[in-house]
Amino acid sequence: MYAQMVKSEAANDDPALLAAFQARIDAGERIEPKDWMPDAYRKTLIRQIGQHAHSEIVGQLPEGNWITRAPTLERKAILLAKVQDEAGHGLYLYCAAETLGVTRDDLTEQLLSGRMKYSSIFNYPTLTWADIGAVGWLVDGAAIMNQVPLQRTSFGPYARAMVRICKEESFHQRQGYDLITKMAQGTAEQKAMAQDALNRFWYPSLMMFGPSDKDSVHSTQSMAWKIKINTNDELRQKFVDQTVPQAKYLGLTVPDENLKWNDDKDGWDFSEPDWNEFYDVLKGNGPCNTDRLSARQKAWSDGAWFRDGLMAHAKKAEARRVAAKVAAE
Amino acid sequence: MPSLPDVMTPDAAQLAQAAGGEGRAPLETGSPEHDLFTGLTRLGDTTLILGHRVSEWCGLAPVLEEDIALANMALDLIGQTQLWLGLAGEVEGRGRDADALAFRRDGWEFHNLLLVERPNGDFGRTLMRQFLFDAYHLPLLKALEGSTNPRIAEIAAKAGKEVAYHVERSADLVIRLGDGTDESHARMQSSLDALWGYTGEAFIGDAVDARLGEAGVMPAPESLRSDWDRTVNAVLAEATLERPASDFAHKGGKQGRHSEHLGHLLTSMQWLQRSYPDATW
Ligand SMILES: [Fe+2]
Ligand SMILES: [Fe+2]
Ligand SMILES: [Fe+2]
């Protein structure tokens, strides 16, 4: 998932309905769009699914940055297929959000006006070809870590979207790892690019899980509703434990002097990312915030005539159908 | 005063062959193998350059469905490129694979149609370029399915299935936008007018085409014109767009003489391979 700072809404519904709702969730039942749900559950989900959808869309940009420069036809095809998948993920997720009573246009408008966020990872630039490997390996890897548990989330359409998405994300991760393996085992320059990519993407990837549990104020309600399944720190730990051996295999160094195996917890000790940087990026001060958002705004406003044209044609075609029917009667 | 040396540039084909390499002698101009190689690079370079242009839209299309459709179309075109250029490399027999041909040749060795290197412009321009090309690409592939060369027939059959969908989609959008708002109509008409002069090249044969046509390897370009006219006229009529009267055709792409745009496209496309020639990716 790419939803790292979702505020859950306070609940002020009928206590009896709320209790029955919670009982369904506790029993492992799926909530479907037509079922009663607390207003806050609905709003929180819209925000979370919307943020995830926006991340898939904005996430096309850092990868699209290299499609025209991909070094082989095969790599170009793989990257095109990946970006196509990401746009598809955006589509499923917008559809899931629409079952909650918002429109895609609404959500888009909120993204473009800055009222809704997307994952801060996409506010970092892709500077070399190795970054495309690092994005697949680390960013899709972190996304999977977040999303696999969400296949069991309480809201039916969201859970089902996750099942489809997770399959494709794990494919992306393997392809990214394959790419960076080629770089890490390549010429001295390629190896340097691979290391540089890991250096730049390591901490931003750790940030994808959201703030530390002790600072994460919105988790409790979301966890009770099974909108969130694991805590941020649990997932971050899992990610580090999975990724460190992969980096070692590549002969790359994780940029953390404090990285140390801890027998007691059967996992790695590691440094926290710089949370000031995280909040700066959220506030709009990441290296690419302005570029990403203005690229999306431009795409949307440049495309207005296209969308209007299709609407106008649909209306004309409908009017002609009606006229033909009248004439025939 | 001494006379100046001859300033004629060498023949592009000779330059291209000199740039080749690896043991085996370059194919002899006018030989069946050289003709076949040229014909295959015309096909593969055209799909490569168009695929590249389409991929420039990544993440920037007017609606999400178009982002998906464009990525999908670019993917088809790049896949076709791998097959055409892969076969071209085999025919040449000098150790160049599809990647070597795509990333290590200079502009004068590219044989794509000028139409596909036209810059994207607005989304309407991109769609119109796609439609004008698709309407030619489909009958081309249908004809290639009957090639006396079984490898070509096989690739054409596979590509034809993809392209049948491309033309259905691009024709539909041209119709809807041509017959949409005043603005969408005006944009589609101006795109059509701007691209029209680049459509004729596809139907003008040269000596290579004539020999390939004679041997039944590839269709004579002239033979594809009536199919294209029929599709284009029908779609433009339904789109309420006016077919330009001029029949002037820019030529040269198929022979390696391109617009200024191609060099910039190749500069970004080939940059990694050229900057790190020892690397494998
Ligand atoms: Fe995702
Ligand atoms: Fe995705
Ligand atoms: Fe992905």
Side-chain angles (χ1 to χ4, degrees):
Chain A
M1 143 176 110
Y2 301 117
Q4 50 202 174
M5 282 291 280
V6 176
K7 294 188 179 125
S8 30
E9 302 270 335
N12 48 10
D13 296 274
D14 176 347
L17 281 172
L18 266 182
F21 178 78
Q22 189 62 51
R24 287 189 64 195
I25 289 182
D26 294 343
E29 280 180 46
R30 281 276 159 80
I31 308 301
E32 294 300 331
K34 289 204 168 75
D35 299 346
W36 184 86
M37 63 185 81
D39 210 35
Y41 176 86
R42 183 186 302 276
K43 282 189 178 151
T44 307
L45 265 176
I46 288 175
R47 215 174 284 162
Q48 180 168 332
I49 300 173
Q51 204 178 106
H52 188 166
H54 297 329
S55 302
E56 302 282 358
I57 302 312
V58 176
Q60 294 179 92
L61 299 172
E63 303 201 287
N65 183 40
W66 280 93
I67 283 183
T68 53
R69 291 178 289 171
T72 68
L73 295 170
E74 173 85 27
R75 291 286 175 202
K76 197 189 282 284
I78 289 172
L79 191 52
L80 274 166
K82 177 176 197 266
V83 170
Q84 187 190 357
D85 286 347
E86 306 300 8
H89 298 170
L91 200 56
Y92 310 151
L93 288 162
Y94 284 127
C95 291
E98 283 185 323
T99 67
L100 291 160
V102 279
T103 65
R104 202 210 299 183
D105 281 358
D106 254 353
L107 292 170
T108 301
E109 199 280 315
Q110 293 192 53
L111 168 70
L112 298 182
S113 65
R115 277 179 296 139
M116 274 182 96
K117 300 284 182 209
Y118 53 89
S119 175
S120 57
I121 191 74
F122 300 120
N123 288 316
Y124 290 86
T126 50
L127 301 177
T128 74
W129 175 247
D131 288 12
I132 296 305
V135 167
W137 171 34
L138 301 173
V139 175
D140 287 80
I144 295 166
M145 205 54 92
N146 258 320
Q147 287 167 192
V148 163
L150 286 175
Q151 297 179 104
R152 293 179 284 112
T153 191
S154 61
F155 186 57
Y158 192 26
R160 288 188 288 274
M162 277 311 133
V163 173
R164 288 179 75 170
I165 289 174
C166 281
K167 271 194 208 124
E168 293 176 348
E169 299 295 10
S170 67
F171 204 58
H172 300 164
Q173 192 196 17
R174 265 180 283 152
Q175 288 169 330
Y177 192 68
D178 177 69
L179 192 166
I180 205 160
T181 303
K182 267 270 167 27
M183 299 294 284
Q185 296 172 351
T187 64
E189 285 155 323
Q190 284 177 298
K191 199 173 159 112
M193 286 184 230
Q195 182 62 55
D196 180 55
L198 177 58
N199 292 349
R200 283 180 291 104
F201 276 95
W202 175 254
Y203 287 107
S205 300
L206 297 188
M207 292 177 197
M208 286 177 68
F209 300 94
S212 172
D213 293 349
K214 57 184 192 300
D215 304 316
S216 183
V217 277
H218 311 295
S219 288
T220 324
Q221 179 62 79
S222 286
M223 289 185 80
W225 278 335
K226 293 191 186 160
I227 292 174
K228 192 176 167 80
I229 312 284
N230 303 89
T231 73
N232 297 349
D233 285 337
E234 278 167 20
L235 291 170
R236 192 168 11 250
Q237 181 69 51
K238 251 182 113 175
F239 175 76
V240 170
D241 292 344
Q242 175 188 286
T243 309
V244 168
Q246 293 168 344
K248 292 209 151 143
Y249 174 81
L250 295 175
L252 299 178
T253 309
V254 173
D256 180 358
E257 286 176 0
N258 300 317
L259 192 72
K260 204 168 75 238
W261 179 256
N262 180 334
D263 257 333
D264 295 337
K265 72 173 185 189
D266 198 29
W268 291 87
D269 288 333
F270 57 93
S271 303
E272 296 262 313
D274 175 358
W275 292 114
N276 289 328
E277 177 182 319
F278 173 76
Y279 289 109
D280 275 340
V281 177
L282 276 189
K283 266 184 259 158
N285 296 320
C288 299
N289 295 60
T290 314
D291 292 342
R292 299 286 185 248
L293 201 56
S294 60
R296 288 307 308 164
Q297 285 162 342
K298 183 172 188 307
W300 190 248
S301 61
D302 285 357
W305 72 269
F306 172 89
R307 298 187 301 272
D308 293 346
L310 295 189
M311 295 275 277
H313 180 81
K315 279 198 193 119
K316 282 187 197 176
E318 179 57 24
R320 280 194 288 259
R321 255 193 303 279
V322 171
K325 210 177 145 206
V326 170
E329 275 161 9
Chain B
M1 188 180 145
S3 64
L4 291 168
D6 182 6
V7 291
M8 287 287 290
T9 48
D11 180 59
Q14 278 171 11
L15 276 174
Q17 289 184 351
E22 298 220 2
R24 188 131 153 233
L27 299 175
E28 195 187 323
T29 307
S31 68
E33 292 76 21
H34 187 266
D35 285 346
L36 183 54
F37 177 78
T38 304
L40 288 167
T41 54
R42 285 174 179 175
L43 295 169
D45 292 345
T46 296
T47 52
L48 173 60
I49 301 303
L50 185 58
H52 183 101
R53 280 287 186 232
V54 172
S55 77
E56 290 173 353
W57 275 100
C58 175
L60 304 173
V63 285
L64 194 44
E65 285 80 354
E66 288 303 309
D67 273 319
I68 296 173
L70 289 186
N72 187 47
M73 202 158 53
L75 194 55
D76 288 344
L77 290 165
I78 297 302
Q80 292 166 20
T81 303
Q82 288 174 291
L83 298 172
W84 291 131
L85 292 186
L87 184 53
E90 282 180 48
V91 167
E92 186 190 40
R94 304 186 72 211
R96 293 202 285 184
D97 61 8
D99 283 337
L101 291 172
F103 296 97
R104 300 289 180 94
R105 283 177 303 156
D106 206 338
W108 69 59
E109 300 164 82
F110 270 76
H111 295 140
N112 58 281
L113 297 174
L114 296 174
L115 175 66
V116 299
E117 71 195 51
R118 300 308 300 157
N120 285 340
D122 71 1
F123 201 70
R125 185 72 58 98
T126 293
L127 278 175
M128 184 57 82
R129 183 185 63 200
Q130 190 68 41
F131 167 66
L132 293 170
F133 176 72
D134 290 343
Y136 152 77
H137 200 194
L138 186 61
L140 169 66
L141 291 169
K142 288 278 164 241
L144 287 171
E145 272 189 59
S147 170
T148 52
N149 180 316
R151 298 281 301 280
I152 291 179
E154 193 187 325
I155 297 171
K158 181 184 180 295
K161 290 191 194 96
E162 296 165 350
V163 170
Y165 176 70
H166 296 181
V167 68
E168 199 178 292
R169 211 188 81 81
S170 62
D172 177 60
L173 283 169
V174 166
I175 290 168
R176 286 154 73 190
L177 293 166
D179 186 24
T181 59
D182 289 347
E183 183 181 3
S184 70
H185 176 87
R187 282 176 185 263
M188 296 315 280
Q189 184 67 53
S190 83
S191 297
L192 177 62
D193 296 345
L195 293 168
W196 190 252
Y198 297 93
T199 56
E201 184 189 14
F203 309 106
I204 300 169
D206 62 5
V208 174
D209 290 316
R211 289 191 294 268
L212 288 170
E214 195 71 24
V217 176
M218 292 187 189
E222 298 79 0
S223 69
L224 303 169
R225 173 123 221 169
S226 62
D227 259 350
W228 184 81
D229 274 333
R230 202 174 319 116
T231 308
V232 167
N233 290 343
V235 168
L236 293 184
E238 205 180 336
T240 71
L241 295 171
E242 197 178 327
R243 182 179 163 126
S246 164
D247 57 7
F248 174 79
H250 290 282
K251 294 186 287 284
K254 288 166 64 174
Q255 290 79 25
R257 290 188 308 281
H258 292 275
S259 67
E260 292 177 347
H261 301 291
L262 184 69
H264 294 278
L265 186 158
L266 296 181
T267 299
S268 52
M269 187 178 88
Q270 299 182 335
W271 174 72
L272 274 175
Q273 285 261 1
R274 300 262 190 194
S275 301
Y276 302 99
D278 302 328
T280 51
W281 307 96

